[in-house]
């Protein structure tokens, strides 16, 4: 289901082709830039001259009080403030280091002499000089802190003024078009505007003097020649690109990265012809200026630029959904749905292009406010209608694929993803209708702004999804194609792990980039966001503690890297060095565990140093937290200390046969916190080291592996006890695992109630291989007793009958 949802999300990439709306804002911004005011700052000067910085801050403060300030000037202010903030922070770090160094020198000289005591004049002079330097550096440090505070406050003011400047017109209420009088007035103004566009060619031609008309026709002929040359070049390039990088019919299962490359190539090739033609027209109009400063010139130039965008949108739409090439489609949907998406997007491109041309022309040609707002209202209507249409098609596609894949698993009363999808499409309908209603109630610019940014946001999500999948696919193919992977046995397992970690690394990065771009799109200045990200990554202070995400990430990387190196050293010792040394296995394991413990401590210290934490501060913090750690982690610390004691004192070691708390088995592993015991039932028992130290442990292999084994046997009364003893000793001496020294012996244990009880005792050299000796001896003893006619009695009870009979039967 996640894959399907991701593919449906990629379908929204189709709105890439809805991006014509921002054109009107681009033309408006061009006019703003031409009327730039004089409130500028030398933004490249980032020196730490406090007087100059203070003067620049005062200049910016006065500039913010001006009523005629453009967004470009505000962006300049923001850029300067961010640069100076970075410079001041770097200067502050240098000053802090200098202050610490001077303070260390003063500490080395010691305190001044007491009254009446004499001191060397050289030492006194050095102390005075260092004290003066310390005072000067401390003053500069305080001035730096003061400037940083002022700049932070000024940054907030710039943000507020910028938001008011950028969004002020959006929130300005105009006449409500829903009012019939306003509507018909706007409609009348629009009809006049449309008629002006229609008759603009005639007015232009009429305005040309009679003697210049022949030159005009010659220029138009030259234009056609240029278009033919551009067309021929475009056809040649198209064939070349498609032949080398286009769709390949023989490739039935292309990778996603190959699909993206082919889609880019095909989009470029198919868009070249129209792009060259339109580009030739733009080049001709700009170079000849044949239409002059007329309405026709504005209409043609705007139409040409809009056509370029429309061509790009149409070609990208076609290669994204590839209705005629299902194997090369970037989204996994049926061919019928792909064709439906393509038709919808093409229709929108045409209608929205016409609306965008009218909006830009009306704004650029300085038509009345009623005309501009009426055209904006129609553009918002077009975007609302097609966004609703797009949402409906996306929901239908998702619903059909979900029902096809889960037809047998859907219960009637089950809350399925289709229900959530229906809620989302209902919300999108309400949102689009509500946003369009803003234009009817007097906020046409706000309505168009929301629609434009929403469309671009959806475009951005689709593009980032394609980039994410392409990155993962490229990296996987680079790693898989490497020669080192052919020698690796767990090929499939490595690919699965690599896919997981690539998603863990790439997905958050793509999400962060998307959030940054979306926030910038919706009005949050990029300079301020970059400044915040810079502070977050490279360090900010909370109280007196400097926190840096990059330093933290570096510390974590150093910790795990050094830990990996220590593990490699540990493995090398265990496999290559220690096996060649004549040493007890338990000692070897203790050495390996000690190396692991020391490696962990070294790795932790290296990580802490890499983060930039002062070890003296760390000691102070550790001392302050020791009480809390003592109460909260006392069991953990107790087990750690017990683990160290076990490693060095070695009451038990790996391979020992122990009995603890009724559990019998061998020591499998001794860790710092706990010890693993493998019972003879093949169950792992985890024992805290503190329990192992404080409890009574029976270690059957401590010191050596020799062990005494016993076999108890009973014979019938009347048996020859000497013969029994002889047979028991013979059985013991004949066994190959029974030691001859100490020699086995027999004990006459007791006169039992049913038998004479004997016990055979013998010794084996290794308990690990000799624990089966008692069972084998019993087999041998039983066989010899049968051969010698010696009876092994079973328990007997002798019942004596009395002389008298009961007087009467008893119930």
């Amino acid at each position: 289901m996640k894959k399907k949802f991701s593919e449906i999300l990629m379908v929204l990439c189709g709105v890439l082709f809805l991006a014509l709306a921002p054109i009107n804002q681009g033309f408006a911004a061009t006019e703003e830039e031409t009327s730039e005011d004089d409130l500028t700052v030398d933004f490249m000067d980032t020196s730490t001259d406090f007087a100059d910085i203070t003067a620049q801050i005062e200049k910016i403060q006065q500039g913010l009080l001006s009523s005629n300030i453009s967004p470009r000037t505000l962006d300049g202010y923001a850029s300067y403030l961010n640069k100076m903030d970075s410079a001041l922070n770097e200067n502050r770090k240098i000053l802090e280091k200098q202050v610490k160094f001077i303070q260390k020198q003063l500490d080395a000289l010691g305190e001044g002499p007491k009254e009446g005591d004499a001191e060397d004049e050289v030492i006194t002079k050095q102390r005075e000089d260092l004290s003066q330097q310390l005072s000067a550096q401390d003053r500069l440090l305080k001035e730096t802190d003061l400037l940083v505070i002022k700049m932070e406050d000024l940054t907030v003011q710039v943000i507020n003024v910028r938001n008011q400047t950028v969004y002020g017109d959006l929130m300005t209420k105009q006449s409500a078009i829903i009012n019939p009088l306003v509507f018909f007035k706007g409609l009348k103004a629009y009809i006049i505007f449309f008629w002006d566009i229609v008759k603009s060619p005639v007015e232009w031609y009429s305005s040309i003097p009679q003697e210049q008309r022949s030159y005009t026709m010659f220029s138009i002929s030259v234009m056609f020649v240029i278009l033919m040359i551009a067309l021929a070049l475009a056809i040649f390039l198209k064939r070349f690109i498609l032949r080398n990088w286009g769709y390949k019919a023989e490739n039935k299962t292309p990778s996603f990265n190959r699909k993206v490359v082919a889609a880019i190539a095909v989009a470029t090739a198919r868009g070249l012809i129209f792009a060259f033609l339109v580009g030739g027209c733009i080049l001709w109009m700009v170079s000849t200026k044949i239409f002059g400063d007329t309405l026709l010139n504005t209409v043609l130039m705007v139409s040409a630029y809009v056509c370029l965008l429309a061509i790009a949108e149409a070609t990208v739409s076609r290669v994204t959904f590839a209705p005629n090439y299902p194997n090369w489609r970037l989204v996994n949907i049926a061919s019928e749905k792909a064709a439906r998406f393509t038709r919808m997007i093409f229709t929108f491109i045409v209608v929205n292009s016409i609306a965008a041309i009218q909006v830009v022309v009306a704004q650029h040609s300085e038509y009345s406010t009623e005309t501009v707002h009426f055209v904006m209202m129609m553009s918002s209507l077009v975007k609302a209608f097609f966004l609703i249409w797009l949402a409906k098609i996306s929901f239908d596609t998702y619903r059909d694929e979900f029902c096809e894949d889960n037809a047998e698993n859907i219960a009637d009363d089950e809350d399925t993803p289709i229900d959530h999808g229906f809620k989302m499409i209902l919300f999108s309908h309400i949102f689009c209708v509500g946003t369009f209603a803003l234009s009817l109630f007097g906020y046409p610019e706000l309505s168009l702004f929301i629609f434009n940014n929403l469309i671009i946001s959806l475009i951005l999500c689709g593009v980032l999804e394609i980039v994410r999948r392409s990155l993962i696919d490229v990296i996987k193919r680079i790693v898989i194609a490497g020669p080192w992977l052919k020698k690796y046995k767990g090929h499939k397992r490595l690919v699965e792990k690599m896919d997981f970690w690539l998603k863990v690394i790439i997905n958050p990065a793509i999400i962060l980039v998307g959030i940054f771009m979306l926030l910038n799109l919706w009005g949050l200045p990029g300079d301020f966001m970059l400044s915040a990200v810079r502070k977050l990554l490279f360090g900010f202070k909370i109280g007196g503690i400097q926190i840096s995400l990059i330093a933290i990430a570096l510390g974590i990387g150093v910790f795990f890297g050094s830990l990996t190196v220590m593990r490699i050293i540990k493995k090398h010792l265990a496999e290559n060095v220690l096996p060649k040394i004549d040493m007890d296995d338990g000692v070897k394991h203790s050495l390996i565990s000690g190396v692991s413990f020391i490696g962990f401590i070294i790795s932790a210290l290296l990580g802490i140093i890499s983060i930039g934490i002062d070890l003296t501060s760390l000691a102070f913090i550790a001392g302050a937290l020791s009480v809390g750690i003592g109460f909260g982690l006392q069991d953990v610390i107790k087990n750690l200390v017990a683990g160290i004691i076990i490693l060095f004192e070695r009451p038990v070691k790996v391979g020992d046969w122990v009995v603890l708390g009724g559990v019998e088995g061998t020591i499998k592993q001794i860790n710092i916190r706990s010890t693993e015991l493998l019972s003879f039932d093949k169950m792992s028992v985890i024992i805290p080291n503190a329990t192992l130290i404080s409890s009574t442990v029976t270690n059957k292999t401590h010191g050596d592996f020799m062990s005494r084994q016993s076999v108890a046997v009973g014979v019938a009364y009347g048996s020859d006890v000497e013969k029994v003893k002889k047979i028991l000793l013979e059985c013991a001496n004949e066994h190959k695992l029974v030691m001859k020294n100490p020699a086995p012996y027999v004990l006459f244990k007791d006169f039992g109630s049913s038998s004479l009880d004997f016990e055979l005792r013998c010794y084996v050299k290794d308990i690990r291989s000799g624990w089966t000796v008692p069972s084998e001896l019993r087999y041998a003893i039983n066989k010899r007793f049968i051969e010698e006619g010696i009876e092994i009695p079973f328990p007997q009870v002798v019942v004596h009958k009395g002389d008298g009979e009961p007087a009467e039967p008893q119930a």
Side-chain angles (χ1 to χ4, degrees), residues 381-407:
L381 177 61
V382 171
K383 290 178 173 62
F385 176 77
F386 280 95
L387 283 175
I388 291 174
W389 190 5
L390 176 67
K392 183 178 183 305
I393 295 177
S394 301
F395 174 72
D396 291 343
T397 303
Y398 177 71
R399 180 193 58 197
D400 294 343
E401 293 187 358
F402 179 82
C403 293
E404 182 180 352
D405 296 340
N406 302 275

Side-chain angles (χ1 to χ4, degrees), residues 256-257 464-480 495 498-508 510:
F256 184 80
N257 188 54
L464 290 178
E465 174 64 15
I466 292 176
V467 170
R468 183 191 70 84
R469 294 185 62 178
S470 299
L471 279 175
I472 293 176
D473 188 73
V474 168
I475 296 175
K476 285 172 63 176
R477 290 188 169 275
I478 291 174
V479 175
I480 293 174
V495 172
M498 181 176 60
D499 185 67
F500 170 76
W501 285 110
L502 283 176
K503 290 179 180 179
V504 168
I505 296 173
I506 293 178
N507 288 358
I510 293 293

Side-chain angles (χ1 to χ4, degrees), residues 418-437:
I418 296 180
D419 300 326
H420 301 292
F422 177 77
K423 295 176 183 178
M424 291 298 296
I425 194 172
L426 179 62
F427 171 78
S428 64
H429 282 56
I430 295 173
F431 176 81
C432 291
V433 172
T435 305
F436 170 68

